[in-house]
Amino acid sequence: MHILLNTLYLMTPRTLVRLDHETVKIEVEGELKMQIPLHHLGSIVCFGDVTLTTPLIMRCAEDKRLIVFHDQHGRFKARVEGPVSGNVFLRHAQHEALSDSKKTTAIARNIVAGKIRNTRQVVLRGAREADNEDDRKALQETARELAHGLDALSRSPDLEQIRGIEGNAARHYFATLDRMVRVNREAFKITHRNRRPPLDRMNALLSYIYALLLNDCLSAAEGVGLDPQIGYLHVLRSGRPALALDLMEEFRAILADRLALTLVNRRQIDERDFVERPGGAVHINDNARKEIAIAYQKRKQEEVLHPVLNRKVPLGLVPHIQARLLARVLRGDAEEYLPFMYR
Amino acid sequence: MESTILPGWDDRDIVMVSALEHYAYCPRQCALIHVEQTFTENMYTLKGRFVHNLVDVECGEMEGGVHIERALPIWSLRLGLIGKADVVEFHGNIPYPVEYKHGPKRKHQHDDLQVCAQAMCLEEMTGKQVPRGAIYHHSSHRRREVTFDSYLREQVEAAIIRIRMMQRSNILPPPAADERCRECSLQDSCLPQIKEKGRLRMLLCELFKPEGDT
């Protein structure tokens, strides 16, 4: 965990990025657009036709600075990693925990509790700010459902049951998510979560922000030496970053969903930012992607109180802190995993 | 499992010279670096690295009639110790280790152990007695001479044994959670707060209790 890690998002086609001593220079068609001291950057995320020079790539790999490549639609393509290093004992403990159902169930349960709790904070805020009684009531009802979920969770000894409680809570939540949309409600209707491809604008918006968040959770896991594919709440599957997905659960509502709602409610995003493809898939256009990525970075700089550390930290650093806390639990250095509790 | 680094030793038992300073500062810090391989940079370590970059280029040269070796690999078969000395001056043919520090931040003891361990390596490597060395403080451009008496040498040997036991057991000692933490570069990896069990238990209870209902 370094100072505050900033992510450089490169989205302009035909961008060339190179290392000049300790500075990163960004050029578009031969023209210098920006230069940033390397030590200000925590990771570099590229979309589409962007070129990084080899010295820059090697230096980032050496410093464990994450580089990710996406295609122009935001689909993940590649990640640059340096030599495997760090803590083999931690990774070993992470694998061993898979056969310790008591330990993994406890971790998964607390992750889901964190997720439901933080989701509930977002819903309660929505209820407080609701414009009409209908919306308020619907959101309060969702908050009650989420409270039941939390209660059931505290007594649930079984991983499948925990996953069921999570699914149930998510269903209730997405059924009333658009009650928190205050403008353009018709355009941003959502009844349930869908993806691959997203079938409405709100789902497209969420999918995109979740992809940004997932990258951050991946880099948090790798940053502390955890294997991002070995998770406990999420079932293992080839190519699936199960642990990064586990880590992400606590942050979906407070970081991603809340940001999506704000962007819509402040009219920073409207229906013109989306393209509907034949058959129903919905895409976000390039300009809006840029706008959203910038807003996401800003949101990560907002300070929040971390209950375990008992001090204020930028929201963007919290996934790193949580990855560290999880690593401590896996190594037997801390008793139980405490998810981030947003207030 | 004989070491490929130091003949006669098991890799797990080999101690880095730099670990002595870390251990003297805080055993958990030492374990984080040497067992868990965490390294987090803060301003102090960055400054330290900058100062080290000035000296961390392997080479030998003559300066004012004194032969100087920079970034010299050092080791001791007897102690199972390996490392690198920032600067070793040869006074006549007597090695004189100089350890570079970025500031007067740390208490003497930690630096002294490290430079004394360097001297003990150099003695074994050259067959010469190494009675003295120095700490060079980059911020004040001052040298402080350290005499390697028998007391300091005993402390080095005792610390090596404790570090070796820690490396073997592969367990992190508990956090110090005191004033040392304030300037520690590994605070965010260490999480000294996890020592406060009462608070953690309280938070855990809260986790499943819905709050802020309207």
Side-chain angles (χ1 to χ4, degrees), chain A residues 1 87 89 110 113 117 120 124 140 307-311 324 328 331 333 335-336 339 341 343, chain B residues 28 32 36 40 170 172 188-189 191 193-194 197 199 201 203-204 206-208 210-214:
Chain A
M1 241 170 289
N87 192 352
F89 302 118
N110 289 7
R117 204 171 194 284
R120 198 164 168 278
L124 286 173
Q140 282 170 347
V308 175
L309 304 193
N310 204 13
R311 65 164 202 256
R324 178 70 66 197
R328 291 271 158 267
R331 289 282 274 129
D333 188 37
E335 279 172 44
E336 206 166 337
M341 292 151 81
R343 263 155 240 238
Chain B
R28 184 170 168 98
L32 284 169
E36 295 231 321
T40 307
N170 181 21
L172 286 183
D188 289 335
S189 313
L191 300 171
Q193 299 87 351
I194 61 178
K197 300 258 185 286
R199 238 176 69 79
R201 233 161 261 148
L203 286 169
L204 203 59
E206 253 177 68
L207 177 62
F208 294 96
E211 64 173 24
D213 251 324
T214 45

Side-chain angles (χ1 to χ4, degrees), chain A residues 195-223:
Chain A
R195 62 210 179 94
R196 285 184 192 182
L199 300 175
D200 57 52
R201 297 189 181 96
M202 192 54 116
N203 269 298
L205 187 54
L206 291 177
S207 283
Y208 177 60
I209 305 175
Y210 289 159
L212 299 177
L213 177 59
L214 181 59
N215 268 335
D216 285 337
C217 292
L218 260 167
S219 94
E222 279 175 351

